Amino acid sequence: DVSSKTCLIVDDMVDTAGTLCKASVALKDHGAKVVIAYATHPVLSGKAIQNIEKSALNELVVTDTIELNEEAKKCKKVRQLSVSNLLAESIIRVHTEESLSSLFTE
């Protein structure tokens, strides 16, 4: 039962956002109040932004592994987070033979 809850969708990438948009509708149809999706790679090709804008999705949070085009940057439902500090710290820890797992437990 998802009623009166925020539901999260997690994926590795979003291309045209068709499946993501269908999933957001299904969750809302089953009572979800808010649907937020997280994806690592925002390919966002074709009509992805139009699909997202007219979808039941409340927000799509992506990383900066792929630069957003201008249309995506203007979309109020898309928020981009930087992974540069995480990648830099990971490289340093591998080089100095320190723990990577502690990055995710602190």
Side-chain angles (χ1 to χ4, degrees):
D1 179 32
V2 296
S3 59
S4 72
K5 295 188 169 114
T6 297
C7 291
L8 303 178
I9 301 170
V10 180
D11 206 347
D12 60 340
M13 71 173 206
V14 178
D15 190 2
T16 63
T19 302
L20 179 63
C21 293
K22 288 177 186 174
S24 68
V25 168
L27 288 167
K28 292 256 177 124
D29 285 349
H30 283 85
K33 301 297 181 205
V34 176
V35 178
I36 301 172
Y38 290 84
T40 305
H41 308 295
V43 176
L44 301 175
S45 67
K47 295 183 177 185
I49 297 303
Q50 292 128 339
N51 292 339
I52 292 165
E53 286 177 338
K54 67 180 181 180
S55 75
L57 191 64
N58 293 88
E59 184 176 31
L60 170 62
V61 181
V62 297
T63 69
D64 60 352
T65 59
I66 298 174
E67 186 176 352
L68 294 180
N69 62 34
E70 288 306 313
E71 184 183 21
K73 287 178 183 177
K74 292 176 185 175
C75 181
K76 295 187 186 311
K77 288 188 176 186
V78 176
R79 180 167 50 110
Q80 191 170 46
L81 303 176
S82 176
V83 293
S84 60
N85 289 336
L86 179 62
L87 292 176
E89 184 63 26
S90 297
I91 291 166
I92 290 168
R93 288 181 185 218
V94 167
H95 181 72
T96 59
E97 298 181 4
E98 294 178 56
S99 171
L100 285 175
S101 62
S102 63
L103 282 172
F104 306 103
T105 58
E106 296 175 354

